[in-house]
Each structure stands twice: as structure tokens, then as C-alpha cells.
Amino acid sequence: MSGLQVKIGLECHCQVTSLKTKMFCRCSSDYRGKPPNVNVCPTCLGLPGSLPYLNRRAVEEALKVALALNCKINRKMVFYRKNYFYPDLSKNFQISQYDFPLAVDGYVTINVNGREKTIRIRRVHMEEDPGRLVYKGRIDTSPYTLVDYNRMGIALIEVVTEPDMESPAEAKAFLEELRSILEHLEVSDGSLEGSMRCDVNISIAGGTRVEIKNISSFKDVEKALAYEIMRQRNLLRMGREVKRETRHWDEVRGITVALRAKEEEMDYRYFPEPDLVPVEISDDFIEKVRSSLPELPSARRARLVEQYNLTEYEARVLTADKQLADFFEKLASIHGKPKVDCSVVINELLRLLNEKNIEVRDLKFTPKEVADLLFMVDEGVVSWKSAKYILRRMVETGEHPKKIAEAEGIRRISSVEEIEKFVSKVFEEHKGDVEAAIKDDKVIHRLVGEVLKETRMLADPKITFQVVSKRIRELRAERGLASA
Ligand SMILES: [Zn+2]
């Protein structure tokens, strides 16, 4: 990609998953896996005569996020009605914020390939989630649309950035940092399906802004942006115009599709929600929340580097997922070899998690069991190679490493007598290689490999090499040859 400058801005809608109830009523916010339209009441459905009342905890959670994003907090915030007709909103307006949002003018520092960059936050505001539309197959060919209002009224925090990102990779880095911040604050669990959704806007070479709505995963944000950059560049190259419009990301086909001409702000006819009073946010409240903030990812990274002697990169990989960082710290506290423990977590465990497409919380064992496995390696009971295999079986079965090792006959063979038996067998079966090894040291490694294979890789490679070399030297001596 060259030449034309890309500008990307994000609007992230983050569900406050730490709350048990919705934003303006007492309906349960636990909607995942529930039958449709059971978590609803006159207030969240917007039936005539019902009145919303603000969940104080929702404000507290949003304030945490705003402070963690280094924002200026408005002492008075006002809720507005955003009016639009769409089947996911039974009351035809969404309670949101417009003028006087909760907070403005923050920033987040991201790191892409070792290069730091500051992304400005334009505003952080609160709003309620709309319902959920369920399509049969693809949005543009579905013969009907089903609607589920269980999600309607769930508290959302919307984080709007300035168009400071210049590549899909920067957008992804921002989203990962935001997700990590929300998880460290324990406000929103980014691993829940649909808990973080994104609208992106993108323009090329100062041209028209195109918006892509409702992308539900980070990977897809990166893919949708890459596709959209290519589409717009192709239009510009052909001398055609990029239309100002809202597009939909079709994850199945991997393309964006035009949905509608972009609404202008005036189309929403924003006006202050007459059923809710403006909310005063006192200095005391802000200070109380500020002092309750936990350690955030940037501070944690610095501490991990300092306390465990990790590299900046290792600390970054760990803190990209709070649960992974927690797992590492627990493991290091039990096993006590942070460099090894970090390598096991980010190289072995993380690879298995990605391969199986599961989260740390889905693991059927704790850091204690991984420490037990690493103690087995330290004591020479199993080889490092076997340990990797056992870890894989742990992820698959949740069994204790000792039990897996016993059940599968995995141990470390380090007795010289025992290894000699395997060596005799291999020398008997590979006479040609033995002859070659007598003449050439390099062939010894081939024989060692055969012996290890014979022991199902359980033998200690170093001792095996010594035993094989000794045998070859003896054979050379028998024939009156000097060792090479
Ligand atoms: Zn309700």
C-alpha cells in the first residue's frame, strides 16, 4: 500500500458486562443463550407511561473507563434521545449522549512493531444497547429478520477516537489496548461474544469518509479495513468517486457491502431526554473512583519487565490478555522461574489456546498444575519435549500432568544401562549407518536420532549421544582406527 494517506477513526461500543442489570431498569443483563424476549419490561421496551431510572453503578463503571483513558470529565452530563426507526429499537429512540457527554479529550498509547504512537480519544459517552436482529444467513439475502429485545437497554460505553490511525494494524493495536484496559478495570469482558463492537470510519487522501458498521471482532476490523482501503484505492485509481455511505462487513464473503447513504447527525433529531435529569458528577465521586482504579496494562507491563526481568515484547504479549498475564504471575509465584514460566505461557500455552480457539478461562487446569509439570521437567522425570506433549494433553483433557505421564508411559530415560539396550538394537538394525559412522563422525547424529526414535523420544539426548559415540570409538579401536 503506498501513496494515498489513510485515516481511520473508531467508535467502540463496549458492554458493561460487570453489571447485573440494565442501564435504566432492573431487567437482567445476562442475555447470552437466553430464549428471545424474556429479559424485557415496559421500561426497556419503551411502553407508554414507563420511566427510565439511571443505574448509578453504570456511571461509576463508565467513569473508570474515562479516567483510564486519560479523559477530562464533564461535571454535568446529559442524556439525549437519538431518534431513528429501526426494528432493533422498539421505542424508536435510543437513550444516548450528545452535548455534555461523560468525558472528552483523552488518549491511549499504542505500540505497533516497537513504535509507540498516541491515539487521541474524542469522547467517552454512555448509551443503551439496542436489541438484536437475527438474520437467516446473510443480511442482504435473508428472507426475514427476527428481533430479540433481551439486549435492549444493556449499558454501553462508547469510546470515540480521532481519525489518528493510519493502517489496519494500528486500528487493531488500539482495540487490543482498549480491550486490555477494560479487562483490567473489570468493566467489560471482551471475550464474550458481541461485548465489543466497532464502527470504523475511513478516508483516503482526505477524501470522503465511509463508515463500516457493527464489526464484531478485532480480526474482522483489520480485515474489513484492509478490504475497504483496497476498494477505495481502486475507485480512486479509476477516477471514480468514493460515495459517502454506510457499509456492512460481510464476514462470510470477506467484503463490505453498501447498506445505506450515511445519516447526517441532524437526521437523528437529538434532544435532551425529558425523563432523565442531568447528572452532576462531583469531584468527590471522581476522586473516589480514581483512587479505586486497579493497575492498568501500561503500568503492569513496566512492572512485569522490572519484577520478572521480562522483555518489553513478552510483557506486551502477556498484558494483551489480562487472564493470560494473571496466569503467568500465578505460575511464576509457584514455580519461581519467571523466564521459563513466561516462555511456557506465551510460546506453548498461548499457541495451544489459539489452535483450539479457546480462552484462558476455558482451561480445565490452573497454574498450579502447569507448575507441577515444570517441576517434573526440573527433576528430570520427563523431558522438555515430553512436557510440551503433556501440556497439550492437559489442554485437551484437563488431567493432572503426573496422571497423563503415567497413563501414557511417559518418563525420561536417563539410565546408561537402559539406553545401551536401545543402542544395541539400533546398531543391529542399522549396520550400514554404523559402518558409515565409523568412517565419519557426522553419521553418529543419524544413529542418535534412530535411538531416540526407538525410545519414543523419552531418552535423554545428551546421554544417548555419549553412549553412541563411545560405542563407535570402541569399534574404531577394535579395527585399529583412530577416532576422528
Ligand atoms: Zn427492562
Side-chain angles (χ1 to χ4, degrees):
M1 295 192 235
S2 67
L4 309 168
Q5 200 203 357
V6 174
K7 281 189 164 183
I8 298 166
L10 298 171
E11 290 178 20
C12 308
H13 306 261
C14 315
Q15 283 182 342
V16 184
T17 55
S18 56
L19 297 177
K20 296 211 157 52
T21 57
K22 294 185 179 179
M23 194 165 169
F24 298 110
C25 66
R26 295 269 163 84
C27 287
S28 167
S29 59
D30 178 18
Y31 70 91
R32 291 182 176 80
K34 292 274 155 40
N37 303 308
V38 291
N39 289 356
V40 289
C41 74
T43 300
C44 53
L45 286 174
L47 300 186
S50 66
L51 289 171
Y53 42 95
L54 177 61
N55 184 335
R56 184 191 158 90
R57 283 258 294 127
V59 182
E60 200 173 319
E61 297 295 84
L63 187 54
K64 280 187 199 167
V65 174
L67 289 170
L69 299 178
N70 309 294
C71 289
K72 293 196 189 92
I73 311 299
N74 282 327
R75 294 305 191 269
K76 183 174 122 179
M77 67 168 184
V78 180
F79 286 102
Y80 277 72
R81 286 189 183 181
K82 180 181 182 178
N83 298 277
Y84 65 95
F85 292 91
Y86 206 60
D88 63 0
L89 262 186
S90 60
K91 55 189 183 187
N92 292 330
F93 65 85
Q94 177 189 25
I95 302 177
S96 180
Q97 297 194 303
Y98 187 58
D99 290 333
F100 316 104
L102 171 67
V104 295
D105 292 342
Y107 64 87
V108 166
T109 306
I110 61 166
N111 186 307
V112 179
N113 301 327
R115 202 173 57 86
E116 294 221 321
K117 178 167 179 180
T118 299
I119 308 298
R120 290 169 300 158
I121 306 290
R122 184 179 294 168
R123 54 190 270 147
V124 173
H125 74 238
M126 305 175 67
E127 64 183 24
E128 54 178 348
D129 213 346
R132 220 162 54 87
L133 298 181
V134 182
Y135 303 99
K136 183 176 191 289
R138 269 164 38 190
I139 187 173
D140 54 343
T141 57
S142 178
Y144 55 80
T145 304
L146 299 169
V147 65
D148 176 5
Y149 290 124
N150 284 343
R151 200 179 73 182
M152 198 161 70
I154 302 264
L156 287 184
I157 298 168
E158 179 167 337
V159 176
V160 183
T161 75
E162 297 291 343
D164 286 347
M165 284 148 282
E166 292 165 296
S167 69
E170 287 186 5
K172 181 164 166 265
F174 173 83
L175 289 170
E176 281 174 352
E177 185 67 8
L178 179 63
R179 172 175 156 161
S180 180
I181 289 170
L182 291 168
E183 287 183 347
H184 278 81
L185 292 170
E186 295 183 344
V187 166
S188 185
D189 180 348
S191 66
L192 292 174
E193 189 271 322
S195 63
M196 272 185 88
R197 307 188 297 275
C198 243
D199 297 346
V200 307
N201 56 71
I202 171 166
S203 65
I204 293 184
T208 317
R209 261 174 31 142
V210 171
E211 192 173 16
I212 312 169
K213 281 280 202 194
N214 250 324
I215 311 175
S216 61
S217 86
F218 295 172
K219 258 194 208 131
D220 280 8
V221 168
E222 208 182 1
K223 281 193 246 167
L225 282 169
Y227 174 84
E228 191 56 24
I229 289 170
M230 183 187 73
R231 187 188 71 89
Q232 293 190 22
R233 280 198 171 133
N234 284 341
L235 286 175
L236 293 172
R237 272 190 206 116
M238 290 185 284
R240 284 166 56 189
E241 182 197 7
V242 175
K243 276 191 232 131
R244 184 174 167 87
E245 62 188 358
T246 298
R247 299 179 72 84
H248 163 77
W249 168 244
D250 184 329
E251 2 181 291
V252 181
R253 288 186 290 171
I255 59 172
T256 64
V257 212
L259 267 190
R260 55 179 183 263
K262 169 88 180 100
E263 301 89 347
E264 298 293 333
E265 271 187 349
M266 54 187 279
D267 295 337
Y268 289 121
R269 296 174 297 119
Y270 279 99
F271 63 86
E273 162 63 83
D275 292 336
L276 289 164
V277 294
V279 181
E280 306 277 347
I281 299 184
S282 69
D283 290 346
D284 281 355
F285 186 49
I286 295 172
E287 283 322 306
K288 197 189 122 216
V289 172
R290 193 194 301 276
S291 64
S292 78
L293 291 183
E295 184 182 45
L296 293 170
S298 53
R300 190 176 199 181
R301 280 193 287 274
R303 182 174 59 78
L304 290 177
V305 168
E306 170 75 25
Q307 184 178 342
Y308 301 105
N309 194 25
L310 303 185
T311 64
E312 188 67 39
Y313 170 78
E314 288 169 330
R316 195 161 282 285
V317 174
L318 287 172
T319 54
D321 178 350
K322 177 179 184 288
Q323 295 174 44
L324 196 70
D326 291 348
F327 195 100
F328 159 74
E329 290 212 69
K330 187 83 189 136
L331 174 62
S333 77
I334 305 172
H335 182 234
K337 291 186 180 168
K339 290 301 273 183
V340 177
D341 302 332
C342 173
S343 160
V344 169
V345 169
I346 70 178
N347 296 323
E348 305 306 325
L349 188 61
L350 188 57
R351 186 162 45 85
L352 289 166
L353 292 171
N354 290 337
E355 184 188 309
K356 312 257 176 218
N357 200 16
I358 55 173
E359 303 283 339
V360 174
R361 85 168 60 145
D362 301 324
L363 291 173
K364 290 171 257 169
F365 55 84
T366 67
K368 167 78 171 59
E369 279 77 56
V370 178
D372 287 345
L373 173 63
L374 297 178
F375 284 129
M376 288 162 74
V377 177
D378 295 344
E379 288 157 13
V381 180
V382 297
S383 68
W384 182 234
K385 198 175 168 80
S386 302
K388 286 187 193 176
Y389 170 76
I390 293 173
L391 186 64
R392 170 178 290 274
R393 295 294 294 150
M394 286 167 70
V395 171
E396 286 162 359
T397 66
E399 296 271 20
H400 192 276
K402 284 213 168 90
K403 216 169 151 193
I404 295 170
E406 264 164 39
E408 308 205 12
I410 299 169
R411 61 199 173 96
R412 190 174 175 82
I413 304 174
S414 45
S415 126
V416 173
E417 292 77 46
E418 201 172 344
I419 291 175
E420 275 175 340
K421 284 183 201 144
F422 288 104
V423 171
S424 300
K425 181 161 185 277
V426 168
F427 273 44
E428 199 54 43
E429 286 165 5
H430 296 80
K431 291 208 168 92
D433 285 342
V434 174
E435 286 306 317
I438 289 170
K439 294 186 189 90
D440 182 358
D441 268 358
K442 277 184 235 128
V443 187
I444 291 178
H445 293 284
R446 199 187 305 160
L447 286 168
V448 171
E450 289 299 334
V451 176
L452 291 178
K453 228 192 277 168
E454 194 65 35
T455 66
R456 295 189 301 131
M457 308 310 279
L458 297 177
D460 184 316
K462 224 162 135 187
I463 300 177
T464 305
F465 178 78
Q466 285 162 1
V467 173
V468 172
S469 304
K470 185 163 161 271
R471 270 294 167 91
I472 294 295
R473 277 200 305 275
E474 285 164 4
L475 289 171
R476 283 173 186 161
E478 275 170 28
R479 299 186 195 178
L481 294 169
S483 268

